[in-house]
Amino acid sequence: MSSFRQRALDEFATHKAARFFVEERPVSEFFAQNVFGQEQMKKYLSQQAFEAVTAAIREGKKIDRSIADEVASGMKSWAVEMGATHYTHLFHPLTDSTAEKHESFIDRSKTGEVVENFKGEALVQQEPDASSFPNGGMRSTFEARGYTAWDPSSPAFILDQTLCIPTIFVSYTGEALDMKIPHLKSLEAINKAALNVLELFQNDVASVKVNLGIEQEYFIVDDALYRARPDLQICNRTLIGHTAAKDQQLEDHYFGAIPSRVTCFMKDFETEAYKLGIMLKTRHNEVAPNQFECAPLFCEANLTIDHNLLLMILMKKVAKKHRLKVIFHEKPFMGVNGSGKHCNWSMMTDKGENLLSPGTTPSTNLQFLSIFVSVIKAIYEHHYLMMASVASLNNYYRLGGNEAPPAVMSVFIGSTLDRILDSIENMTSPANEAKAKKERLDIVRLIPEILQDNTDRNRTSPFAFTGNRFEFRAVGSSVNAASSMYILNSIVAQQLNAFRSRVDKYIYEGTEKDEAVMKVIREYIIESKPIRFEGNGYSKEWQQEARKRGLKGIVNVPEAYKAFIDKKTIALFEEVGVLSKREIEAHYEIKNEIYTKKLQIEARVMGDLIINHIIPTAIKFQNSLIENARGIKELFSPEEADIMCEKQIRTIRKISRYINELREDVHDMIAARKEANVITDFTEKAALYTETVLPYMEKIRTNADKLEMIVDDELWPLPKYRELLFCR
Ligand code: ADP
Ligand code: MG
């Protein structure tokens, strides 16, 4: 066998379950031990400093510099006692990853000795030499500075002997260079807007928070096999590779017994996650072979995002120990399911009331309905933007396939609520207004009873109501989910504000409050009706139906990105105070650039695979066929030899044809790239890459995969799907 692949398989065979430290204490005893949380703060901070940080967490209050010094000193004492030597500001640049720059605590004392030191300044702000982070033109070189600033609402923690401080990343002129800033601002927008609506129903709510629970899907591949695949290594997905004879068609992997080597890995990273305060709750096999999922208990959205990104770092780190590779790519393998991050989203008051749970009285149900229809209306108004928020090269390969949500937005609410909304819509008899009013209130009173047996589930809907929360399933598995969540928060905030204004208008005109609310609920139901869809979101009929309803689907990625600079979008973000026009334009530019660069890299790796791995292998195999035919001709009469070699010669021809086509396509693809590369306008460049380079990826793959089915298995250089997906 090809020495490369053989070596990888041999190495795999020696990979036994890693020996790892098994934590025997109950989780509650070591949970969050590496986090500078409440308990640690109480121990290491003065009462005053403790209260200042708590107020910053609860109410977003600013922390005084002198207090910051004290907090820094307390944090340092704790961290050094825990064995930390360094500290870092951890931020989320606009690349879907996290960034960090480590500094050690050591300093020279006045008398020249080495001491550990950590000042308030270093805690509060850092100026990373970060001119190479994407900034979409927001930092011209003369103001190339950006700085990170402490986010006290997400607690500091220790990882690898380093004190990690969650921060925002902002340009010298104050523009957001990260995903955390718009996300935090959108959470504030939700808070204000929800309070605005809640005032109609109750008046002792002080704040509203967003709760978020993220289900994270991922693939596991043996590390040795992974290293024998340049495409996996560089692009995190297989660019070529014929599907295995069996993958997920028997549906025997989902919720099946987790392979023991993977269980060891899971236990190990779960333990590390617990120590960092991440409440991992669920683990199971996913639909595709070697695909899995984990999910923590939901918590406040900003923390959930930080935890999710931290979890990804942890999983990658721990996997190394187990000689495994975690793949977060949205579509690493053709023909089997891709991976997502299902974002479970709801809103909660400071009293612990979930605003998406129907209540028990007509008035609490009116409140529920107001919030509920506002979310639906928000999705309707910005359905294309919501879908565009998940658009990326990776997700392009995933959306539309198998279990994945399709690239057109719809909202599923379950048949019970669907009926309730329909009946509210239909309840209008101007002839008998009093009767209609009574009926409406009857319906509202009945909601909790009707809802009790509501166990509907629709996994083909990108945005589904699941009893007390919405689940957005289209978000890609590799991204920072804040990139979609700040948009969701913004559109809902906008719609809640609009809801309140309309109710106020009716009240002003003399309508009694409950009736005014009911009126607006009904209007929202009617106006947003086209977005509601209870059927199969993967069906062809739905694609047609969606078009009829005026719902715009995603055609290609750069086209979708244009939604960001649409007038309506810019107005939205300015209205809710989440992003300025300049920031949106910068984000837009960065999105396009990342897309184009990724595609460029994929195309390069594809060229390398075909020219340097696949074609030479095919030629080797073809030579063995030629040699064999020649031998037959030597031994047998020409007539006999002709009959014997007929099929063989056909195969030799076929291989030549594939090789020629592959060479030609790679050549043309390179030419297309060259042509696109000279274009300076980033929108045009992304569009041209999509139009002229992207189609080659599939075309080339098809021929390479055909060769895989012809060429002697012994010679094939790359680990095959059956190995990648079933070696565990
Ligand atoms: P599924 O059945 O959809 O796979 P999981 O149990 O895997 O569900 O994950 C559901 C996620 O939703 C978890 O993170 C859970 O904590 C979260 N969740 C549950 N209730 C809420 C809520 N009210 N708001 C936000 N997230 C929630
Ligand atoms: Mg799940």
Side-chain angles (χ1 to χ4, degrees):
M1 188 185 284
S2 140
S3 60
F4 206 40
R5 177 161 152 240
Q6 183 64 62
R7 228 180 306 139
L9 283 167
D10 289 346
E11 207 183 319
F12 159 72
T14 67
H15 286 177
K16 301 200 185 77
R19 237 175 263 182
F20 65 100
F21 171 73
V22 184
E23 181 58 74
E24 279 170 353
R25 289 176 293 169
V27 175
S28 55
E29 275 177 34
F30 62 90
F31 187 77
Q33 71 177 30
N34 295 346
V35 179
F36 193 62
Q38 293 278 323
E39 219 177 282
Q40 288 79 355
M41 281 199 280
K42 267 189 201 148
K43 190 165 158 204
Y44 288 87
L45 301 182
S46 70
Q47 179 73 15
Q48 192 196 8
F50 175 76
E51 275 165 16
V53 178
T54 317
I57 297 170
R58 270 212 207 104
E59 298 141 46
K61 285 214 173 109
K62 277 230 160 78
I63 290 177
D64 201 74
R65 273 296 163 112
S66 64
I67 299 276
D69 269 334
E70 202 200 312
V71 178
S73 159
M75 254 189 210
K76 181 211 68 191
S77 304
W78 168 74
V80 171
E81 270 172 40
M82 295 284 292
T85 55
H86 287 65
Y87 66 91
T88 181
H89 277 196
L90 197 69
F91 57 104
H92 310 160
L94 296 161
T95 54
D96 283 330
S97 54
T98 47
E100 46 194 279
K101 177 193 170 204
H102 297 194
E103 302 269 352
S104 88
F105 284 124
I106 60 164
D107 204 353
R108 219 189 311 269
S109 76
K110 282 192 191 115
T111 48
E113 292 121 57
V114 168
V115 288
E116 272 91 11
N117 207 347
F118 186 48
K119 291 238 171 65
E121 288 158 39
L123 164 67
V124 172
Q125 193 169 317
Q126 246 186 9
E127 205 177 294
D129 177 17
S131 49
S132 47
F133 286 104
N135 57 72
M138 277 191 296
R139 278 183 302 157
S140 47
T141 32
F142 64 88
E143 50 177 48
R145 288 188 289 175
Y147 57 90
T148 53
W150 178 33
D151 166 17
S153 64
S154 182
F157 57 88
I158 296 172
L159 184 63
D160 288 343
Q161 292 183 284
T162 302
L163 173 67
C164 301
I165 298 147
T167 58
I168 56 165
F169 185 35
V170 64
S171 80
Y172 191 64
T173 41
E175 276 105 3
L177 293 171
D178 73 351
M179 226 84 96
K180 201 189 229 307
I181 295 173
H183 189 233
L184 285 171
K185 285 186 177 168
S186 73
L187 293 170
E188 185 42 36
I190 280 273
N191 175 42
K192 278 200 200 126
L195 287 176
N196 204 4
V197 170
L198 288 186
E199 264 175 19
L200 293 167
F201 308 100
Q202 45 183 328
N203 47 25
D204 57 347
V205 177
S207 65
V208 172
K209 288 212 154 90
V210 171
N211 277 333
L212 188 61
I214 298 180
E215 300 162 56
Q216 175 72 53
E217 293 177 329
Y218 60 95
F219 278 86
I220 284 290
V221 172
D222 178 79
D223 181 54
L225 301 176
Y226 170 91
R227 276 184 283 113
R229 295 273 322 203
D231 48 359
L232 269 184
Q233 249 183 334
I234 296 175
C235 311
N236 287 313
R237 79 173 182 104
T238 54
L239 300 180
I240 58 176
H242 201 283
T243 49
K246 166 191 180 284
D247 41 58
Q248 64 187 46
Q249 59 273 64
L250 297 179
E251 295 172 345
D252 51 356
H253 192 253
Y254 192 54
F255 281 6
I258 301 171
S260 62
R261 192 170 160 214
V262 180
T263 317
C264 289
F265 160 66
M266 286 175 169
K267 279 187 189 157
D268 204 0
F269 84 69
E270 283 165 356
T271 305
E272 294 308 311
Y274 291 145
K275 287 183 194 160
L276 289 170
I278 304 173
M279 289 204 192
L280 281 180
K281 175 88 177 154
T282 307
R283 57 157 108 114
H284 61 79
N285 285 5
E286 258 305 325
V287 173
N290 271 4
Q291 190 190 25
F292 306 91
E293 180 191 294
C294 61
L297 279 179
F298 69 87
C299 67
E300 188 281 320
N302 180 38
L303 199 56
T304 296
I305 296 284
D306 284 4
H307 277 172
N308 176 256
L309 292 168
L310 178 57
L311 182 65
M312 287 166 77
I313 296 176
L314 264 186
M315 286 167 72
K316 283 188 204 159
K317 252 188 228 281
V318 173
K320 264 196 199 130
K321 212 161 66 180
H322 296 257
R323 302 213 190 158
L324 292 168
K325 208 80 200 176
V326 187
I327 298 177
F328 289 115
H329 193 288
E330 282 72 359
K331 191 75 177 177
F333 301 101
M334 191 188 72
V336 298
N337 271 16
S339 304
K341 245 185 235 269
H342 301 171
C343 294
N344 293 270
W345 179 97
S346 66
M347 290 176 276
M348 196 172 82
T349 68
D350 56 323
K351 307 271 175 306
E353 180 190 358
N354 178 354
L355 297 181
L356 287 172
S357 275
T360 44
T361 64
S363 131
T364 49
N365 287 327
L366 266 189
Q367 179 190 303
F368 162 72
L369 282 174
S370 305
I371 306 273
F372 186 64
V373 299
S374 294
V375 177
I376 299 174
K377 177 95 188 306
I379 300 291
Y380 175 60
E381 292 294 336
H382 293 281
H383 65 271
Y384 189 60
L385 177 65
M386 271 305 278
M387 234 25 195
S389 82
V390 304
S392 69
L393 181 65
N394 296 7
N395 228 5
Y396 159 79
Y397 296 120
R398 162 186 173 237
L399 290 185
N402 277 318
E403 208 219 20
V408 58
M409 196 61 177
S410 63
V411 177
F412 169 88
I413 57 173
S415 55
T416 317
L417 274 162
D418 198 52
R419 269 203 312 276
I420 291 173
L421 296 201
D422 280 349
S423 47
I424 294 175
E425 179 191 340
N426 297 328
M427 251 181 285
T428 165
S429 55
N432 195 346
E433 187 54 43
K435 184 170 164 264
K437 189 171 161 185
K438 187 183 165 296
E439 272 177 32
R440 280 203 282 270
L441 288 176
D442 272 353
I443 275 277
V444 170
R445 183 174 51 78
L446 283 174
I447 288 175
E449 275 164 51
I450 319 177
L451 268 184
Q452 253 167 20
D453 63 339
N454 181 15
T455 47
D456 264 1
R457 266 306 178 97
N458 182 339
R459 293 190 179 274
T460 66
S461 173
F463 202 84
F465 185 68
T466 52
N468 60 3
R469 61 188 189 266
F470 280 99
E471 181 178 356
F472 188 32
R473 302 167 57 86
V475 182
S477 48
S478 73
V479 305
N480 178 345
S483 58
S484 282
M485 291 301 104
Y486 84 75
I487 294 176
L488 176 59
N489 296 334
S490 299
I491 63 175
V492 171
Q494 180 189 44
Q495 221 43 247
L496 288 170
N497 285 331
F499 185 93
R500 173 71 202 255
S501 302
R502 265 204 223 179
V503 172
D504 283 352
K505 191 173 142 270
Y506 283 129
I507 293 176
Y508 181 78
E509 287 166 4
T511 314
E512 171 250 341
K513 192 203 78 193
D514 279 0
E515 192 51 21
V517 168
M518 208 59 211
K519 249 175 144 156
V520 181
I521 288 174
R522 193 169 161 264
E523 287 170 6
Y524 267 42
I525 292 172
I526 295 168
E527 288 163 22
S528 60
K529 199 164 185 200
I531 198 75
R532 273 161 52 204
F533 179 65
E534 301 289 305
N536 179 3
Y538 297 157
S539 66
K540 282 229 165 58
E541 294 76 42
W542 166 236
Q543 300 293 325
Q544 286 166 359
E545 170 69 18
R547 220 167 299 134
K548 255 194 254 158
R549 294 185 185 189
L551 300 176
K552 208 167 141 201
I554 304 285
V555 181
N556 69 53
V557 179
E559 201 44 50
Y561 286 161
K562 289 187 184 149
F564 281 87
I565 46 160
D566 195 273
K567 266 199 215 124
K568 197 173 167 185
T569 307
I570 293 173
L572 157 79
F573 287 128
E574 287 185 336
E575 188 185 322
V576 291
V578 168
L579 283 175
S580 69
K581 183 162 181 272
R582 185 155 181 241
E583 287 170 321
I584 300 164
E585 283 167 353
H587 287 209
Y588 172 64
E589 184 176 331
I590 293 165
K591 276 176 175 288
N592 274 288
E593 268 176 6
I594 291 179
Y595 168 82
T596 309
K597 281 182 188 158
K598 273 197 176 169
L599 186 48
Q600 182 182 43
I601 294 167
E602 284 197 350
R604 284 181 181 160
V605 175
M606 182 65 115
D608 167 51
L609 282 180
I610 299 304
I611 301 297
N612 307 314
H613 296 68
I614 303 307
I615 292 182
T617 307
I619 291 177
K620 227 182 263 171
F621 178 60
Q622 196 186 35
N623 278 343
S624 72
L625 294 181
I626 293 171
E627 213 170 289
N628 174 267
R630 225 185 255 133
I632 290 175
K633 283 194 174 152
E634 259 174 46
L635 282 178
F636 298 91
S637 72
E639 294 78 26
E640 226 177 327
D642 276 353
I643 295 171
M644 286 170 78
C645 293
E646 196 200 329
K647 294 270 161 34
Q648 200 128 311
I649 298 215
R650 207 187 288 169
T651 307
I652 293 169
R653 283 217 176 86
K654 216 196 242 172
I655 293 175
S656 286
R657 209 174 57 236
Y658 289 143
I659 290 177
N660 285 341
E661 272 181 37
L662 281 174
R663 274 201 203 287
E664 206 172 294
D665 286 342
V666 169
H667 175 272
D668 292 352
M669 177 178 70
I670 293 171
R673 238 160 53 210
K674 279 195 178 141
E675 210 169 290
N677 285 345
V678 295
I679 290 176
T680 44
D681 180 272
F682 66 89
T683 332
E684 268 175 50
K685 194 173 183 170
L688 200 61
Y689 254 92
T690 307
E691 211 177 289
T692 63
V693 179
L694 186 61
Y696 283 110
M697 300 301 286
E698 206 183 314
K699 193 159 173 244
I700 294 174
R701 172 177 203 143
T702 309
N703 278 333
D705 290 354
K706 278 187 190 145
L707 275 175
E708 187 184 323
M709 289 291 98
I710 297 176
V711 171
D712 183 358
D713 184 60
E714 288 265 322
L715 294 177
W716 198 254
L718 304 173
K720 295 186 169 181
Y721 266 33
R722 64 160 189 270
E723 291 151 355
L724 293 168
L725 288 171
F726 291 94
C727 287
R728 44 179 77 138

